[in-house]
Amino acid sequence: MNSVQKHSDKRMLLIEDSRMFATALKYGLETVHGIRVTHCASLEALRQEMAAAPDSFSLAVLDLNLPDAPNCEALDFILENNVPAVVFTAAFNDSTRDQILGRGALDCVIKNQPESINLLIGAVDRALTNGKTTVLLADSDTASRDELAGILRRQRISVCEVASAADALQVLDSGEAIDVVVTDLDLSDMSGAALLAEVQRRQGDGALPVIALSDSGDRRIGARFLEAGGTDFIQKPFLEAEFNGRIAYAAGIQKRLQTLQRQAASDYLTDIYNRRHFFLTGPRLVEQCLRRGETTAIAILDIDHFKRLNDTYGHEIGDVVLKHVAKRLTTLVGDEHLLARLGGEEFGILFNGFDVQRAFAFCEKLRIELAKSRIVADDEELSITVSIGLATIEAPESFENYLHAADQFLYMAKHAGRNRVISELALLDALAS
């Protein structure tokens, strides 16, 4: 993603009485991140802006001391209005920093240090990015887990707390969006190193970053964890700033990796997932369903008479039809199931925990909705139909076998007259009648 566009949907308050700093910060933030910055030089100006647009600001950057607010009144006002805050001040020491963070500010940057403006721009980026970050926190000690969760939430990071490795793996298998795993090395049911190994086994090359913590005095523990593929190791007790920095660094790398993975996994024409992603991700999703004791299903959807459409109207209109079908499928399928373009006019759907009855009903709905839709191309209204083959997944097999079974049912749907869903369930119903 282009850095200028990274936070272009955000508005930010800049509360600073120094014209020099205000000008430099406003220019830097708007240029580097695309943030829309509203400048206030006093507490009174801040009150007026907040009254005019109370829910418009994602973040505030402020000096602690203003002409009409010399004792942190602006920070109190910002926090009372539930706006996340980053402090930018010259009045600073370790005690001040602890007090500011203790009151709920996300970060503190000292004005009179080298590169202070660049440091602040980085802090703003972290603050806005962290609001989209979710950490899975595994710690069997309740007090320790509460403390760590509090530190993370003060950074506007979403936290999913679990007390055991089994619970952590269950969360990961559920498909919940997690960016970083933070685990204590001494969990009640499994070591942190064993949890790391299991995450790697289940997720393969795309495994989530795992950060471990320990209060053991044996430094070899951390070394062994890193040698096993752990992302980072933090020795307890630690400085809060150190902990925050390491989490932010790991989350930032993961976000960039996810962006690259999305680009590599997208079909160039329709912008949905491509065949490569379907074959890489599908086996892992099937394994998760079977591990939960659930059956699931896989479908191949094919646009009827697509070659005739291309021959009649040309490939440009064919591309319009493919984009239309992909857009409608994206809306109807949503994020719960895995949707991809397999190639040409074929699309694949791997259902998440749907048995064949629910999957069949879902495919029937897709077929009917696509038949209702109309496509306008060259001032002419076109309609389309689709045929769907649906196969049940009940036991571990190669992913290609599942897809081959769905393809066989698709072949039957085509030869039975098209515009229909064929599955084992449909064949059994036909035999029964």
Side-chain angles (χ1 to χ4, degrees), residues 236-285:
K236 296 180 182 179
F238 51 78
L239 294 174
E240 185 170 328
E242 174 196 9
F243 178 78
N244 289 335
R246 294 193 182 197
I247 298 296
Y249 181 74
I253 290 177
Q254 181 66 5
K255 292 293 185 185
R256 288 191 289 275
L257 180 61
Q258 288 170 348
T259 299
L260 293 173
Q261 288 172 336
R262 280 194 297 271
Q263 292 171 350
S266 294
D267 176 62
Y268 73 98
L269 178 66
T270 61
D271 203 34
I272 65 173
Y273 286 128
N274 57 25
R275 182 183 183 90
R276 177 177 178 275
H277 179 80
F278 196 75
F279 272 80
L280 285 175
T281 307
R284 177 169 56 83
L285 296 181

Side-chain angles (χ1 to χ4, degrees), residues 281-302:
T281 307
R284 177 169 56 83
L285 296 181
V286 169
E287 182 186 358
Q288 290 175 1
C289 284
L290 296 179
R291 192 162 48 238
R292 296 195 299 263
E294 300 172 351
T295 61
T296 188
I298 188 169
I300 299 180
L301 178 151
D302 185 278

Side-chain angles (χ1 to χ4, degrees), residues 340-380:
R341 182 185 176 202
L342 300 182
E345 67 273 25
E346 284 192 349
F347 297 82
I349 304 171
L350 178 62
F351 291 97
N352 182 20
F354 271 21
D355 60 24
V356 69
Q357 287 86 1
R358 290 182 68 189
F360 186 88
F362 194 96
C363 288
E364 271 291 304
K365 178 184 175 183
L366 293 180
R367 183 188 65 80
I368 293 168
E369 290 296 323
L370 286 169
K372 286 180 184 176
S373 63
R374 295 293 180 266
I375 305 163
V376 178
D378 289 346
D379 298 325
E380 184 174 348

Side-chain angles (χ1 to χ4, degrees), residues 299-304 324-325 328-329 332-333 349 351 358-374 383-390 410 413-414 416-423 426:
I300 299 180
L301 178 151
D302 185 278
I303 302 173
D304 293 329
H324 170 86
V325 171
R328 289 294 297 139
L329 286 174
L332 294 167
V333 174
I349 304 171
F351 291 97
R358 290 182 68 189
F360 186 88
F362 194 96
C363 288
E364 271 291 304
K365 178 184 175 183
L366 293 180
R367 183 188 65 80
I368 293 168
E369 290 296 323
L370 286 169
K372 286 180 184 176
S373 63
R374 295 293 180 266
S383 61
I384 58 160
T385 61
V386 299
S387 300
I388 303 175
L390 176 68
L410 173 64
K414 289 285 189 182
R418 295 184 171 84
N419 190 23
R420 65 194 65 216
V421 182
I422 294 289
S423 70

